[in-house]
Amino acid sequence: PARYFDTKTTEPISFFLSGLEELLAWQPNSNDEFNVSAVPLAKRQPPLQSRRPRTLVCHDMRGGYLEDRFIQGSATRNPYVFYHWRYIDIFVYFSHHTVTIPPVVWTNAAHRNSVPVLGTFITEWTDGEKLCEAFLAGGEEAFGAVAEQLARIAQHYRFDGWLVNIENKLSAAAVGNLPLFLRDLTARVHSAVPGGLVIWYDSVLKDGTLRWQNELNDENRMFFDACDGLFTNYNWKEEQLERTQRLAGPRQNDVYVGVDVFARGDVIGGGFDTDKSLRLIRQYGLSTAIFAPGWVYEHLGKENFLQNENRFWGSLAAYLPTHSICTLPLSTSFSLGMGTSTFLDGKDEESGPWYDLSAQDIQPLYPEHPGTLSVSCCLQDAWCGGSSLQLQGTIPPGEERVAVRLFSLQMPAPPKLFLTLLYKLEGPQPDDFTVALEVTTWDSGICFEGNPTSLPEPNGRYHPRFLPAPPPGLAKLLAACHRGSHGWTSRCYELELQDCSLRDLSLIVSRQQPSPQETSFTCLLGEVRVLDTASVAASPPQVHGVTASQLWWQ
């Protein structure tokens, strides 16, 4: 069937639903199992609901369902990817189809990086009026059926809720039922999807007219009260932020102030000045909705996309609270879910472009310190997948080392950690440097390394013990300590901690010899793993009852 499979290649594809009939007729179907997300939403700290401003990204690119519709990937050159997951809290996939089901590759990548994904339910123009009249003016049974279907769709495909965007005027009967529909949808999504969300876009007013307010006020507050949040339109001024903050009261984090990166209309910021909008929004303690950050790709072009993308998000980082990893194992090869080649064990196994966001790895922080350190993605060389993480920087005169923070962590440390690292030093004198991992812990008077006789480290910095070979019980699983090849160096470490809480994982680049000169380095990271030794030693669960279906021979 053409909805589920590409007519040219027969490959499975992601899809949307058009109109009320398709929505109400939707049923799970054996053809759509490819579309069900296989990656559960990873836990994070602090939780999404904690009291701090959030960042929502609304992805709107050329109508949606581009190369990202191919569930098993495609041979796309220079595709659009998003990887600054640590800096955002919610990802919305937006298109102008009535029911936008997020392509499953996006849900997989976001979930792996602890970010929930929302689809879009939109009505607009005169067709939208008719559609709304049909389900909203019809009373509880009619709007209940729509709410039920939307909740079932999110539950079935395992994404996390909906952005609701009613961009057409409504009759008195329809607008009277709208808050009831929103309450019903929100309740059903909460019960069907753990941590589910329904967010309302600032459009229709309580009297049914379509007039964007660019703020929370008495004209649209009844819709905000009926769901999990409001995404405001983009043409706000500072006094509107002030009024919004006052009216939202304890729910100020549930107002996502819209920022259009394309800067259409009378807006503050946009493009590389988006930080100006964010600075104001955060002054009032409000959340933000960054609309169409694909501007970097569409406006500045595909060629220097990764460089421009790091510059764009780096310029906003001061206003984006990050979230931490709170579960082990942590294992990543830094792959972006794309490449110009496919690498395995450091070897270029297959040349040629590929794009598959489901294959994107857990992404690190991307700290930018202009002049001293830049962290970027390198497509030319990798240990596994399509890319490695490239660290370029300088060690200042008289200093021995530089620390690059890769991950923020927030969890109790197991008694024994096992860490592995694969790296490659580049540049004129790679032998001038050593590379190691550093683990920091949260300050506490009871946290010790190893045996209780050792003193606590000042400022909780621990340098895991280098292991020339893996511990006997893990040797088979972790042939990691001497598997470097193709110029990659492999290292294993062990760290024993008592009553500690993990805080950061950093990479330390040190000079072999002190020097009065500043020294530049380039280091590629191919893989980092942090494992709880006890759980790694346990044997993995057996797989039973494997079945194969959908076999096509060509």
Side-chain angles (χ1 to χ4, degrees):
R3 172 185 283 175
Y4 306 108
F5 299 97
D6 184 62
T7 46
K8 289 197 194 74
T9 65
T10 74
E11 291 170 317
I13 49 173
S14 293
F15 58 86
F16 50 86
L17 303 175
S18 300
L20 199 54
E21 294 70 31
E22 283 192 11
L23 169 59
L24 293 173
W26 176 86
Q27 289 293 342
N29 170 315
S30 64
N31 284 318
D32 72 0
E33 288 168 7
F34 290 107
N35 257 296
V36 176
S37 170
V39 182
L41 178 58
K43 291 189 168 67
R44 51 163 277 187
Q45 281 294 346
L48 183 65
Q49 295 309 332
S50 54
R51 301 282 300 266
R52 68 174 198 175
R54 302 182 200 114
T55 306
L56 176 153
V57 158
C58 190
H59 173 65
D60 173 27
M61 187 173 280
R62 301 202 305 273
Y65 301 96
L66 307 173
E67 292 82 2
D68 53 4
R69 74 184 186 279
F70 289 101
I71 297 171
Q72 296 173 335
S74 64
T76 305
R77 201 174 289 284
N78 300 324
Y80 175 72
V81 290
F82 179 82
Y83 51 94
H84 285 79
W85 297 110
R86 297 276 135 232
Y87 301 86
I88 76 160
D89 300 291
I90 299 167
F91 182 86
V92 177
Y93 194 88
F94 183 89
S95 84
H96 289 275
H97 303 289
T98 314
V99 179
T100 298
I101 300 167
V104 65
V105 294
W106 281 105
T107 307
N108 288 339
H111 279 186
R112 189 170 288 129
N113 287 283
S114 315
V115 173
V117 175
L118 308 186
T120 306
F121 175 57
I122 189 173
T123 66
E124 47 192 346
W125 314 107
T126 42
D127 285 350
E129 274 178 64
K130 289 180 198 146
L131 194 153
C132 290
E133 196 60 23
F135 89 92
L136 281 174
E140 196 170 339
E141 197 178 331
F143 70 69
V146 168
E148 173 65 12
Q149 283 295 78
L150 290 172
R152 285 180 67 212
I153 287 169
Q155 181 183 45
H156 177 70
Y157 296 114
R158 298 188 191 160
F159 61 96
D160 307 286
W162 296 97
L163 172 68
V164 178
N165 188 356
I166 306 291
E167 297 218 50
N168 45 255
K169 61 180 198 290
L170 296 176
S171 68
V175 80
N177 281 331
L178 182 53
L180 302 173
F181 164 68
L182 280 176
R183 274 185 203 283
D184 189 28
L185 174 62
T186 304
R188 289 178 197 255
V189 165
H190 287 181
S191 92
V193 178
L197 293 168
V198 173
I199 292 175
W200 169 256
Y201 182 72
D202 154 31
S203 50
V204 173
L205 308 183
K206 62 184 181 187
D207 66 359
T209 54
L210 174 63
R211 206 165 64 242
W212 298 270
Q213 299 296 290
N214 306 297
E215 65 179 312
L216 172 67
N217 60 25
D218 288 331
E219 300 289 325
N220 60 21
R221 182 180 184 162
M222 62 198 300
F223 309 122
F224 174 61
D225 291 341
C227 68
D228 296 308
L230 167 75
F231 175 155
T232 78
N233 193 44
Y234 313 104
N235 304 307
W236 45 267
K237 295 286 172 270
E238 188 171 358
E239 57 270 22
Q240 290 170 298
L241 299 180
E242 199 177 343
R243 292 200 293 264
T244 295
Q245 180 196 35
R246 254 203 324 272
L247 192 60
R251 283 191 70 196
Q252 64 185 32
N253 299 150
D254 294 339
V255 179
Y256 300 84
V257 180
V259 175
D260 179 5
V261 181
F262 278 85
R264 290 163 280 212
D266 178 15
V267 300
I268 293 169
F272 281 122
D273 290 329
T274 299
D275 58 317
K276 292 179 179 150
S277 329
L278 260 58
R279 181 162 56 241
L280 276 173
I281 292 166
R282 298 309 197 205
Q283 274 171 17
Y284 292 93
L286 299 166
S287 291
T288 187
I290 300 175
F291 183 75
W295 171 85
V296 176
Y297 181 83
E298 293 188 72
H299 180 71
L300 301 174
K302 306 173 179 184
E303 278 60 52
N304 290 327
F305 167 62
L306 296 176
Q307 211 175 332
N308 290 328
E309 182 77 341
N310 289 345
R311 182 185 157 202
F312 176 77
W313 290 99
S315 73
L316 305 182
Y319 306 106
L320 306 176
T322 59
H323 45 91
S324 306
I325 290 171
C326 63
T327 51
L328 293 180
L330 162 57
S331 173
T332 180
S333 301
F334 306 104
S335 181
L336 293 176
M338 62 161 280
T340 48
S341 279
T342 305
F343 293 86
L344 185 62
D345 293 345
K347 182 167 176 268
D348 184 342
E349 288 281 338
E350 193 180 341
S351 270
W354 64 274
Y355 177 46
D356 179 2
L357 287 169
S358 289
Q360 190 185 73
D361 262 316
I362 292 179
Q363 292 298 306
L365 295 164
Y366 283 88
E368 281 287 317
H369 305 293
T372 56
L373 175 72
S374 98
V375 177
S376 57
C377 312
C378 172
L379 300 174
Q380 288 71 44
D381 199 356
W383 174 255
C384 177
S387 52
S388 56
L389 194 69
Q390 179 172 274
L391 316 175
Q392 284 179 301
T394 54
I395 301 177
E399 291 193 21
E400 301 291 306
R401 44 170 259 165
V402 62
V404 185
R405 189 163 158 253
L406 298 175
F407 293 100
S408 61
L409 312 168
Q410 202 171 332
M411 62 187 120
K416 195 184 264 191
L417 284 172
F418 186 76
L419 304 95
T420 69
L421 168 68
L422 269 152
Y423 67 91
K424 183 184 273 196
L425 279 163
E426 300 200 315
Q429 282 124 351
D431 299 341
D432 292 357
F433 301 99
T434 55
V435 173
L437 289 173
E438 177 180 87
V439 175
T440 57
T441 58
W442 292 91
D443 280 341
S444 122
I446 56 166
C447 166
F448 293 97
E449 181 172 0
N451 53 27
T453 55
S454 64
L455 293 168
E457 286 282 328
N459 64 23
R461 291 183 186 283
Y462 296 95
H463 299 105
R465 198 162 57 85
F466 172 61
L467 290 177
L474 305 183
K476 195 164 151 201
L477 186 64
L478 299 165
C481 306
H482 33 66
R483 58 175 186 151
S485 59
H486 299 281
W488 293 88
T489 303
S490 178
R491 290 275 184 265
C492 286
Y493 306 91
E494 194 175 56
L495 180 60
E496 291 184 57
L497 294 169
Q498 278 196 331
D499 302 319
C500 297
S501 186
L502 300 178
R503 181 176 187 162
D504 283 319
L505 177 68
S506 300
L507 188 84
I508 306 295
V509 181
S510 315
R511 294 196 240 243
Q512 298 276 26
Q513 254 54 80
S515 161
Q517 262 81 49
E518 114 175 341
T519 323
S520 303
F521 65 86
T522 301
C523 178
L524 298 183
L525 288 192
E527 183 188 79
V528 169
R529 295 190 289 179
V530 183
L531 313 171
D532 174 352
T533 310
S535 64
V536 173
S539 55
Q542 295 297 307
V543 177
H544 297 288
V546 176
T547 59
S549 62
Q550 301 283 8
L551 301 176
W552 293 67
W553 294 92
Q554 289 189 19

